[in-house]
């Protein structure tokens, strides 16, 4: 029996509206009950205030952000700081999502700095790592995910114990092409071994899987010994699907 409580986090990406968020959260609140796992939703940052209000008075669903600045504050137009997120009751922040690495050119070092900022503010970073299809085909999967995690380990040392890691193969994100449970488990085991080798409390750190996880495949993925939850994109926008995944994690 794992000592790790599973976490299911919804990454809403750049989706939603005041009205749609309200309907979604209402359905989630009604359906979630007392989950045996941790649950979080990560809306676009402009909606954090709305979500904080919609989630008030309950503890089943925590609030998360999709990114944060590596800087403390000041002249960084468009950025949002960890302290600001904390102001809105944010508990988790996705850091280093492949869409940010790809479209915003985020580097391993920036990701590591953002993790440090989140931790300093008391926010749990969900650190994303994952290989592209080309990298997988070239046999580089292990090399890539270890390089990405190693940057975070290097800068944050034992604070890594306070983070969540998410393995998200880029080729599986939003494509409907999920990693098989065996494929995912083998990378998760590599990451846990890396944490152990670095002196972290590897049995304590949660490693989520993300990439086309849905209501139909969640149970099998979540049954793998090193898969400690899910980072859910598309399926997080439909309350019944998201709740099915939450139930599968419990
Ligand atoms: P997906 O996205 O579930 O839509 O594949 C997952 C993610 O990018 O976090």
């Amino acid at each position: 029996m794992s000592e790790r409580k599973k976490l299911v986090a919804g990454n809403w990406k750049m989706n939603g509206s005041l009205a749609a968020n309200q309907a979604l959260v209402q359905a989630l609140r009604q359906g979630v009950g007392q989950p045996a796992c941790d649950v979080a939703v990560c809306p676009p940052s402009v909606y954090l205030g709305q979500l904080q209000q919609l989630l008030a008075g309950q503890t089943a669903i925590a609030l998360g952000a999709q990114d944060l600045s590596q800087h403390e504050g000041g002249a960084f137009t468009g950025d949002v700081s960890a302290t600001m997120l904390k102001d809105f009751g944010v508990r988790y922040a996705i850091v280093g999502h492949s869409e940010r690495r790809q479209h915003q050119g985020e580097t391993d070092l920036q990701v590591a700095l953002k993790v440090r900022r989140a931790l300093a503010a008391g926010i749990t970073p969900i650190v994303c790592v994952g290989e592209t299809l080309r990298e997988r085909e070239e046999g580089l999967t292990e090399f890539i995910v270890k390089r990405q995690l190693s940057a975070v380990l290097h800068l944050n040392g034992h604070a890594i114990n306070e983070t969540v890691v998410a393995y998200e193969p880029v080729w599986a994100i939003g494509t409907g092409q999920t990693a098989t449970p065996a494929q995912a488990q083998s990378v998760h085991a590599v990451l846990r071994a890396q944490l152990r080798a670095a002196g972290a409390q590897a049995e304590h750190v949660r490693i989520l899987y993300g990439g086309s996880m849905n209501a139909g495949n969640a149970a099998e993925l979540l049954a793998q010994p090193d898969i400690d939850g899910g980072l859910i994109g598309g399926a997080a926008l439909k309350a019944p699907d998201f709740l099915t995944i939450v139930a599968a994690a419990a």
Side-chain angles (χ1 to χ4, degrees):
M1 187 58 190
S2 162
E3 60 183 274
R4 301 178 293 275
K5 191 174 185 186
K6 285 193 166 54
L7 167 64
V8 176
N11 174 11
W12 292 4
K13 309 194 180 187
M14 199 168 73
N15 293 291
S17 65
L18 289 172
N21 300 346
Q22 184 162 9
L24 181 52
V25 172
Q26 194 177 351
L28 292 177
R29 283 191 64 149
Q30 267 165 17
V32 75
Q34 296 287 335
C37 62
D38 289 331
V39 180
V41 290
C42 307
S45 61
V46 285
Y47 293 122
L48 287 169
Q50 181 201 15
L51 265 283
Q52 184 185 30
Q53 286 188 359
L54 290 173
L55 294 172
Q58 58 85 53
T59 53
I61 306 169
L63 187 54
Q66 297 178 12
D67 180 41
L68 77 169
S69 173
Q70 72 200 70
H71 303 288
E72 192 170 359
F76 299 100
T77 303
D79 280 1
V80 174
S81 77
T83 319
M84 293 169 188
L85 297 178
K86 193 72 185 166
D87 237 357
F88 285 90
V90 165
R91 295 259 308 278
Y92 298 94
I94 299 168
V95 180
H97 190 280
S98 63
E99 286 152 16
R100 296 203 58 83
R101 293 181 190 260
Q102 191 187 338
H103 305 304
Q104 267 73 30
E106 260 181 37
T107 64
D108 291 343
L109 176 61
Q110 276 174 302
V111 172
L113 289 166
K114 288 180 175 199
V115 167
R116 184 161 74 181
R117 242 351 131 193
L119 290 168
I123 292 170
T124 302
I126 301 176
V127 186
C128 301
V129 301
E131 83 288 3
T132 63
L133 182 58
R134 175 135 182 230
E135 288 161 347
R136 173 163 283 263
E137 285 170 352
E138 288 176 356
L140 294 173
T141 299
E142 239 186 76
F143 171 80
I144 296 294
V145 298
K146 284 171 94 170
R147 189 204 72 208
Q148 291 171 334
L149 184 59
S150 143
V152 176
L153 278 164
H154 185 70
L155 198 79
N156 293 278
H158 283 178
I160 195 79
N161 294 327
E162 310 312 319
T163 70
V164 171
V165 176
Y167 169 55
E168 296 208 308
V170 178
W171 49 271
I173 294 176
T175 60
Q177 196 193 337
T178 321
T180 65
Q183 277 175 327
Q185 165 58 30
S186 86
V187 178
H188 282 233
V190 164
L191 292 169
R192 198 173 309 283
Q194 184 182 5
L195 290 168
R196 198 175 296 120
Q201 289 175 276
E203 305 312 315
H204 167 93
V205 177
R206 293 183 286 192
I207 307 178
L208 315 184
Y209 170 78
S212 298
M213 193 189 269
N214 59 41
N217 60 29
E220 209 189 343
L221 285 159
L222 292 167
Q224 301 301 309
D226 287 295
I227 300 186
D228 308 314
L231 184 54
I232 320 298
L237 299 172
K238 289 169 248 156
D241 294 30
F242 190 68
L243 290 170
T244 301
I245 299 170
V246 168

